[in-house]
Amino acid sequence: ACLAAAGLPTPPNCIIHGPGDLMGAAQQVGFPAVLKPVSGAASLGVKKVIDMDDLRATYEELDKELRTLVVTSGALVKDEGKGGSSAISVIGATFLLERYLDGQEVDVD
């Protein structure tokens, strides 16, 4: 939002809070697109989707996977019964759908 407000080109994107948001997000963003957890790290849970059926299936897959994770010592790990806080209770289950852009990626650290 800040980049767009500054007049810089940004890909269309939309926040998804639950399955009821999928259709509206798809209409706003278009396809192909990338679905990713808002609170993710690196490329954890980042998936390219090519159409509405793919978006629905991928959303269900990522949401289900996120619910199997816990936060232990600040890291997101599979719940193996050793303790930790449910990832959903710590980081939530909000996703971002963003138009897929093909081309070279430039990163400045």
Side-chain angles (χ1 to χ4, degrees):
C2 293
L3 294 175
L8 297 170
T10 58
N13 60 76
C14 188
I15 295 291
I16 297 172
H17 296 286
D21 295 336
L22 293 175
M23 182 62 76
Q27 291 172 340
Q28 182 176 332
V29 172
F31 294 103
V34 177
L35 181 65
K36 51 189 167 184
V38 170
S39 299
S43 60
L44 180 68
V46 177
K47 303 276 185 167
K48 181 180 176 184
V49 294
I50 58 170
D51 59 28
M52 192 64 210
D53 290 337
D54 194 20
L55 174 60
R56 282 189 190 103
T58 302
Y59 173 83
E60 289 175 15
E61 172 192 332
L62 292 177
D63 186 63
K64 184 178 177 181
E65 182 177 340
L66 198 55
R67 293 175 190 283
T68 68
L69 302 177
V70 294
V71 178
T72 303
S73 299
L76 216 51
V77 297
K78 288 280 184 191
D79 185 2
E80 297 178 345
K82 298 178 183 175
S85 300
S86 159
I88 296 297
S89 68
V90 176
I91 63 173
T94 302
F95 293 85
L96 176 71
L97 185 68
E98 182 176 66
R99 174 82 51 87
Y100 175 78
L101 299 178
D102 195 15
Q104 292 184 325
E105 180 178 345
V106 178
D107 189 327
V108 179
D109 288 328

